[in-house]
């Protein structure tokens, strides 16, 4: 919100510097983004009267002018403008003057004739024909303002002003107005606030003879106020009004349009004006658009409307987008003679939804979407009519149509000084509280206060405390320590486990990659997934960015493979990547996805083999304290080599993940020429299967007894099956079983293999003897032979 300090002075006199004004307004809650001193770049530019003009002796388009600039002697100016006549008043940039944009003017010669300055155009002063409609855009600015030679041009064209730019928070739409900021400034600086009520004389007749209004969508429009102006005379607005609009960043257009913009800035209530002759049936209906309805807005763009969009319509067609922009079919033009002024209160969410859907954002919609004063429609339309009479822009017909669809009950609260003091941590006098709140527009009946209608952000005693605090001064409230106990933040166990897993992956040389949760069906093709695979049944995104981002992923493998493929395309052949992210799976009968956290690993080049990757998986399982797992060959996974792939299986048979070397076809699709391997683990399942926290155990006092076993068994038996049989038969004294060798070939028979284990036995209360070990070894060998057919080599 841009605030002209000259305009502000109409409501309250604040005689401080710009810096102090900005600092104190910020400290009282109205944050200042910056301040612009208008005309600060213009120096030594004055009004001059052209006394004499004559042709340049050496040019057929230059003129030599003698100009009175309020000094003892005229100055000579050479100009190429063709609209300068003797007796004209014009801006003169004298020797050593400056203009907007850093332009410097000094005297010099033009084709041998001395020029002691320059006559200025509108553009050279940073102005446009919208600011001064009587001027010409491509010639010298011939002044019609009351002035005399020697006057500073900044005073003449209203550039003696400071414009303060406020950042208004969404909960304070009342400050999106000059009157609202004036109220804040008056309370901040303790100055008198003058907010005159508009006075409309009227011209007889009755608005009921011209117009009828109906609110067909009361849930989206709580109030609609209208007045009628006849015998309208479209003309430029007076200079003071154009000056204030320009300072606020709004382009002046014509008196009727400028009045609605002026009232929006002054009262914070957006208004609109309709050409009455364009309203079919002399009737205004506030309704939602019909299916397939269209209209062209004032910017000339056709708009396709939907039934959830609120429009202002006549008896036949829509003539405006409620709270956003008027329609081209009811635009005020130069021959408009009768006007309907609209001032309404619309639903903020509805206006925002329509503005976003149509890609439109206007000053009006920005105000409406924040929630405006429901009682502000009538004062605003009355002020607009007052300006019509003041400017002589038409005759205001008597009567107001004010349709109230929903009554708004005022908010009432009790002033509780003790509770406010406890909340602020400082004592403030009740009299001070009452004065601040009264100055802000709150009214009192004893200790009960009524919140003003424009303060929709105040609904609780804590909001009252904030009002008191910001004018008491946040900077003078002493700092106090928290009393009692406060909640301690921290990570959950799962968050800590995720952080530990990420750290371990980095320690193993893997770099983390962050991938999108959405992908395309082509990414499943990259991973070699069959067309009929259940994981292809993914959630579709209603508004995807493109075909390659149209579904939610059900597995992390395509994401990590795309990252590996990208690195391969950039000749980065040694890659280690990991990703800990969610996948989204469909559940029968459920609308929402089942979200699972998965951990994927991808490696190319060095270390990209089955056993190295298995070591990384085992390290992750060890970190998460996941025990009693086995590794089962998986020969049918779509992404992995059929002979170099394994599932990580829990004791209850649940598959916790899969890893292996990539299938040659997948490597080819990814553009990876060398070895590559990947893994995908269900992190949620791993976390759920953690064993208890490890407990401290003292170092053993007695040595272990080691025995090695070399077994001949069927080639189809796995190390896991052999190891499990050994553990079951070894009893409590068998502490560790380690596999260390496998051998196939002579003298081992065909279809057989030799598998070697190292066994560690230990007793806590003494040293083991051969007499204690031999029965255990015999029992182990007997169990291996009876259950698995494995014999000692």
């Amino acid at each position: 919100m841009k605030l002209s300090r000259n305009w502000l002075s109409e409501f309250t006199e604040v005689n401080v510097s710009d810096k102090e004004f900005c600092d104190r307004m910020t400290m009282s809650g109205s944050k200042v983004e910056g301040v612009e001193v208008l005309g600060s770049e213009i120096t030594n530019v004055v009004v001059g009267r052209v006394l004499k003009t004559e042709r340049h002796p050496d040019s057929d388009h230059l003129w030599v002018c003698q100009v009175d600039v309020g000094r003892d002697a005229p100055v000579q100016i050479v100009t190429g403008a063709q609209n300068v006549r003797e007796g004209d008043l014009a801006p003169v940039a004298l020797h050593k003057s400056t203009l907007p944009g850093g332009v410097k003017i000094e005297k010099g010669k033009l084709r041998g004739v001395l020029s002691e300055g320059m006559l200025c155009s509108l553009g050279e002063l940073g102005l446009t024909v919208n600011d001064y409609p009587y001027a010409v855009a491509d010639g010298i600015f011939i002044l019609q303002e009351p002035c005399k030679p020697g006057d500073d041009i900044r005073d003449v064209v209203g550039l003696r002003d400071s414009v303060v730019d406020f950042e208004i928070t969404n909960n304070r739409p009342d400050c999106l107005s000059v009157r609202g900021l004036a109220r804040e400034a008056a309370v901040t600086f303790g100055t008198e606030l003058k907010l005159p009520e508009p006075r409309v004389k009227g011209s007889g007749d009755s608005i009921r003879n011209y117009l009828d209004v109906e609110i067909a969508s009361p849930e989206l429009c709580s109030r609609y106020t209208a007045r009628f102006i006849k015998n309208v005379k479209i003309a430029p607005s007076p200079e003071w009004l154009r000056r204030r609009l320009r300072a606020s960043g709004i382009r002046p257009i014509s008196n009727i349009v400028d009045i609605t913009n002026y009232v929006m800035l002054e009262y914070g209530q957006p208004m609109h004006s309709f050409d009455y002759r364009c309203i079919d049936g002399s009737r205004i209906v506030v309704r939602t658009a019909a299916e397939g309805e269209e209209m062209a807005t004032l910017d000339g763009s056709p708009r396709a409307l939907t039934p959830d969009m609120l429009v202002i319509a006549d008896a036949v067609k829509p003539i405006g987008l409620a709270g956003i922009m008027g329609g081209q079919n009811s635009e005020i033009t130069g021959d408009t003679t009768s006007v309907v002024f609209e001032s309404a209160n619309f639903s903020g969410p509805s206006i925002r939804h329509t503005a976003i859907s149509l890609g439109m954002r206007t000053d009006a919609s920005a105000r409406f979407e924040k929630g405006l004063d429901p009682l502000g429609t009538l004062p605003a339309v009355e002020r607009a009519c007052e300006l019509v009479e003041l400017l002589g822009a038409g005759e205001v017909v008597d009567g107001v149509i004010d349709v109230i669809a929903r009554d708004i009950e005022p908010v009432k609260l009790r002033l509780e000084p003790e509770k406010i003091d406890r909340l602020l941590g400082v004592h403030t006098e009740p009299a001070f509280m009452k004065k601040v709140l009264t100055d802000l527009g709150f009214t009192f009946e004893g200790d009960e206060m009524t919140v003003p209608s424009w303060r929709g952000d105040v609904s609780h005693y804590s909001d009252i405390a904030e009002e008191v605090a910001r004018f008491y001064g946040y900077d003078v409230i002493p700092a106090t320590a928290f009393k009692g106990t406060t909640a301690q933040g921290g990570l959950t166990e799962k968050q800590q486990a995720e952080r530990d897993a990420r750290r371990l992956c980095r320690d193993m040389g893997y770099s983390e990659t962050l991938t999108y949760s959405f992908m395309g069906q082509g990414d499943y093709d990259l991973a070699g997934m069959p067309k009929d695979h259940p994981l292809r049944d993914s959630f579709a995104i209603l508004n995807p960015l493109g075909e390659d981002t149209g579904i939610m992923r059900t597995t992390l493998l395509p994401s990590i493979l795309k990252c590996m493929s990208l690195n391969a395309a950039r000749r980065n052949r040694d890659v280690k990547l990991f990703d800990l992210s969610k996948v989204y799976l469909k559940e029968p009968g459920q609308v929402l996805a089942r979200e699972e956290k998965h951990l994927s690993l991808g490696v190319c080049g060095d270390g990209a083999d089955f056993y190295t990757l298995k070591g990384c998986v085992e390290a992750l399982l060890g970190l998460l304290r996941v025990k009693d797992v086995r590794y089962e060959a998986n020969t049918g996974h779509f992404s992995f080599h059929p002979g170099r792939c394994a599932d990580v299986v829990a004791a209850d048979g649940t598959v916790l993940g899969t890893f292996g070397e990539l299938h040659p076809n997948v490597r080819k699709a990814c553009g990876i020429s060398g070895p590559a391997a990947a893994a995908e683990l269900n992190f949620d399942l791993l976390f759920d299967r953690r064993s208890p926290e490890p407990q401290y155990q003292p170092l053993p006092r007695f040595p272990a007894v080691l025995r090695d076993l070399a077994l001949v068994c069927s080639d189809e038996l796995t190390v896991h099956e052999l190891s499990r049989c050994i553990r079951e038969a070894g009893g409590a004294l068998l502490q560790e079983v380690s596999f260390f060798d496998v051998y196939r070939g002579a003298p081992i028979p065909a279809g057989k293999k030799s598998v070697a284990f190292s066994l560690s036995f230990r007793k806590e209360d003494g040293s083991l003897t051969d007499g204690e070990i031999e029965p255990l070894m015999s029992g182990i060998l007997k169990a291996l032979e009876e259950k698995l057919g494995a014999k000692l080599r």
Side-chain angles (χ1 to χ4, degrees):
M1 173 69 187
K2 292 185 176 182
L3 175 67
S4 161
R5 291 198 63 185
N6 286 346
W7 195 350
L8 174 69
S9 65
E10 180 181 317
F11 301 105
T12 186
E13 289 287 346
V14 181
N15 298 314
V16 298
S17 67
D18 287 341
K19 184 179 186 308
E20 183 178 353
F21 179 80
C22 295
D23 289 346
R24 292 184 62 180
M25 288 295 286
T26 296
M27 289 304 298
S28 67
S30 302
K31 182 184 176 184
V32 174
E33 285 290 285
V35 59
E36 177 187 5
V37 180
L38 301 183
S40 59
E41 294 182 297
I42 300 176
T43 60
N44 204 22
V45 180
V46 299
V47 175
R49 185 185 300 278
V50 180
L51 303 176
K52 181 180 179 182
T53 62
E54 58 184 14
R55 289 283 185 184
H56 190 289
D58 194 26
S59 172
D60 58 358
H61 73 279
L62 294 177
W63 293 87
V64 181
C65 306
Q66 303 300 318
V67 184
D68 176 13
V69 293
R71 298 180 179 180
D72 294 337
V75 297
Q76 180 171 284
I77 305 290
V78 179
T79 180
Q82 304 302 308
N83 68 321
V84 179
R85 303 292 182 266
E86 293 181 1
D88 286 346
L89 292 170
V92 179
L94 299 172
H95 175 56
K96 292 188 176 179
S97 61
T98 59
L99 295 172
V103 177
K104 297 181 180 180
I105 305 298
E106 295 183 353
K107 65 181 179 180
K109 290 186 177 182
L110 291 177
R111 294 200 176 184
V113 176
L114 177 66
S115 180
E116 298 177 273
M118 181 181 75
L119 299 178
C120 298
S121 66
L122 279 171
E124 287 160 339
L125 295 175
L127 304 171
T128 69
V129 290
N130 297 106
D131 301 313
Y132 290 92
Y134 62 77
V136 295
D138 56 354
I140 298 302
F141 180 20
I142 306 302
L143 293 162
Q144 296 181 11
E145 311 305 309
C147 58
K148 65 182 185 300
D151 288 349
D152 193 313
I153 196 64
R154 291 176 293 177
D155 298 319
V156 176
V157 297
L159 291 177
R160 292 281 191 186
D161 195 4
S162 296
V163 177
V164 182
D165 191 1
F166 287 91
E167 178 188 334
I168 306 301
T169 55
N170 290 340
N171 66 324
R172 293 299 306 275
D174 59 299
C175 288
L176 289 170
S177 66
V178 178
R179 290 166 68 99
L181 288 172
R183 183 182 294 106
E184 294 289 311
V187 181
T188 299
F189 292 94
T191 56
E192 181 186 1
L193 179 64
K194 297 169 287 185
L195 297 177
E197 296 296 323
R199 298 177 180 273
V200 182
K201 299 176 183 177
S203 61
D205 206 345
S206 172
I207 190 174
R208 296 295 179 179
N209 296 329
Y210 299 92
L211 190 66
D212 185 29
V213 174
E214 175 191 356
I215 299 179
S217 300
E219 71 281 0
L220 301 180
C221 177
S222 61
R223 189 172 186 177
Y224 193 97
T225 309
R227 292 210 67 166
F228 187 78
I229 317 296
K230 65 181 182 180
N231 297 326
V232 170
K233 304 176 184 65
I234 302 297
S237 299
E239 193 272 341
W240 64 267
L241 192 149
R242 300 195 307 269
R243 179 188 304 175
R244 289 181 175 181
L245 290 179
R246 181 183 69 224
S248 302
I250 292 182
R251 176 173 59 92
I253 299 174
S254 64
N255 50 8
I256 296 297
V257 177
D258 292 349
I259 284 172
T260 60
N261 286 330
Y262 186 90
V263 172
M264 179 183 70
L265 293 171
E266 186 176 52
Y267 280 75
Q269 171 66 46
M271 289 187 57
H272 188 65
S273 54
F274 297 103
D275 190 329
Y276 176 68
R277 63 186 172 179
C278 301
I279 301 177
D280 291 332
S282 300
R283 179 178 177 81
I284 285 180
V285 182
V286 185
R287 60 172 174 83
T288 54
E291 186 69 47
E293 203 164 28
E294 295 184 355
M295 69 170 292
T297 47
L298 284 173
D299 57 5
S301 301
R303 308 288 180 181
L305 308 178
T306 57
D308 57 351
M309 296 179 179
L310 190 67
V311 299
I312 309 301
D314 58 23
V316 177
K317 63 188 183 299
I319 56 176
L321 279 174
I324 301 175
M325 187 179 290
Q328 200 174 41
N329 55 10
S330 59
E331 181 181 6
I332 303 299
T333 60
D335 59 350
T336 297
T337 57
S338 299
V339 166
V340 174
F341 275 149
E342 165 196 280
S343 179
N345 189 265
F346 301 118
S347 164
S350 172
I351 299 303
R352 179 171 175 79
H353 171 76
T354 301
I356 292 176
S357 299
L358 297 177
M360 305 174 69
R361 190 77 187 278
T362 62
D363 288 333
S365 69
R367 284 170 165 81
F368 275 119
E369 66 187 29
K370 293 173 176 63
L372 297 183
D373 178 7
L375 304 184
T377 62
L378 184 58
V381 79
E382 292 290 274
R383 174 57 168 158
C385 292
E386 181 183 46
L387 289 171
V388 167
E389 294 181 339
L390 179 65
L391 273 55
E395 299 175 13
V396 180
V397 171
D398 287 350
V400 180
I401 294 179
D402 191 17
V403 181
I404 302 175
R406 300 195 314 275
D407 288 329
I408 306 298
E409 290 295 328
V411 176
K412 294 182 180 293
L413 299 170
R414 292 189 64 81
L415 180 62
E416 301 174 278
E418 298 81 6
K419 291 179 71 174
I420 292 175
D421 285 350
R422 286 198 301 269
L423 189 61
L424 299 182
V426 66
H427 174 67
T428 54
E429 293 295 333
F432 172 78
M433 296 183 188
K434 271 196 171 183
K435 183 179 187 315
V436 166
L437 295 170
T438 301
D439 291 345
L440 288 172
F442 293 74
T443 57
F444 284 86
E445 291 183 9
D447 287 338
E448 185 177 71
M449 75 184 87
T450 300
V451 178
S453 58
W454 60 83
R455 290 303 303 272
D457 61 310
V458 177
S459 60
H460 189 259
Y461 89 90
S462 59
D463 300 321
I464 299 297
E466 182 182 2
E467 298 303 301
V468 173
R470 64 193 184 94
F471 291 106
Y472 180 83
Y474 288 119
D475 54 331
V476 299
I477 295 178
T480 56
F482 284 111
K483 295 180 180 179
T485 59
T486 57
Q488 297 293 324
L491 300 176
T492 65
E493 288 188 30
K494 189 169 185 180
Q495 289 171 335
Q496 186 61 53
E498 291 176 7
R499 179 171 291 188
D500 292 341
R502 287 188 170 96
R503 183 182 298 113
L504 176 61
C505 288
R506 289 191 291 268
D507 290 344
M508 292 188 299
Y510 288 82
S511 299
E512 185 169 9
T513 178
L514 300 177
T515 55
Y516 290 117
S517 296
F518 35 84
M519 52 189 288
Q521 288 289 348
D523 296 321
Y524 290 140
D525 297 334
L526 183 71
M529 185 182 293
K531 297 294 184 182
D532 58 349
H533 198 282
L535 288 179
R536 281 188 179 265
D537 186 14
S538 310
F539 279 93
I541 299 174
L542 295 179
N543 55 341
L545 299 176
E547 291 184 3
D548 57 342
T549 54
I551 58 175
M552 303 299 292
R553 65 187 175 192
T554 58
T555 171
L556 287 189
L557 277 177
S559 299
I560 203 75
L561 291 177
K562 284 181 68 175
C563 295
M564 295 166 66
S565 176
L566 179 63
N567 277 273
R570 295 180 177 175
R571 301 179 183 276
N572 187 8
R573 296 183 176 87
D574 291 315
V575 177
K576 284 186 174 182
L577 303 174
F578 79 94
D579 187 8
L580 182 56
S581 301
K582 287 184 177 180
V583 299
Y584 305 84
L585 304 170
K586 284 190 175 182
E587 286 279 4
Q590 298 295 320
V591 176
L592 300 179
R594 184 179 85 249
E595 299 182 15
E596 293 182 354
K597 187 69 72 72
H598 284 200
L599 173 62
S600 63
L601 303 173
V603 56
C604 298
D606 186 33
D609 63 84
F610 176 84
Y611 292 106
T612 302
L613 185 60
K614 180 173 179 285
C616 296
V617 171
E618 288 178 333
L620 285 165
L621 296 179
L623 172 76
L624 297 172
R625 306 191 306 278
V626 179
K627 299 180 179 179
D628 298 328
V629 299
R630 64 182 185 272
Y631 302 93
E632 294 183 355
N634 185 336
T635 60
H637 196 282
F638 49 82
S639 290
F640 297 115
H641 191 291
R644 301 169 188 171
C645 173
D647 291 331
V648 183
V649 184
D652 60 2
T654 303
V655 178
L656 306 179
T658 305
F659 66 94
E661 296 182 22
L662 293 183
H663 195 286
N665 293 338
V666 174
R667 287 195 290 111
K668 182 178 180 182
C670 294
I672 302 173
S673 58
E680 181 170 8
L681 305 173
N682 189 320
F683 190 86
D684 290 341
L685 294 180
L686 296 179
F687 181 79
D688 292 340
R689 282 164 171 75
R690 292 172 307 151
S691 60
E693 287 283 351
Q695 300 296 319
Y696 167 76
Q697 291 182 344
L699 292 174
R701 297 170 55 197
F702 301 98
V705 176
L706 302 180
R707 292 288 187 270
D708 291 342
L709 282 179
L711 303 172
V712 177
C713 63
S714 170
D715 202 14
E716 296 179 355
L717 271 178
T718 64
V719 170
H720 174 77
E721 292 174 300
L722 293 168
S723 176
R724 183 173 58 182
C725 185
I726 294 171
R727 289 181 184 279
E728 291 174 353
L733 296 181
L734 178 60
Q735 288 195 334
E736 187 175 352
V737 179
S738 301
F739 158 78
F740 67 87
D741 184 50
V742 62
Y743 172 74
R744 294 178 181 87
I748 305 299
K752 300 284 185 178
K753 63 182 176 182
S754 173
V755 183
F757 293 92
S758 177
L759 280 58
S760 174
F761 297 90
R762 191 192 304 274
K763 189 166 64 171
E764 299 297 333
D765 57 353
S767 298
L768 286 169
T769 64
D770 288 342
E772 293 173 299
I773 294 295
E774 290 306 325
L776 295 176
M777 292 297 297
S778 298
I780 290 173
L781 292 173
K782 181 180 179 181
L784 287 168
E785 183 173 2
E786 291 178 353
K787 294 181 179 180
L788 303 178
K791 297 181 179 182
L792 186 66
R793 180 177 171 182

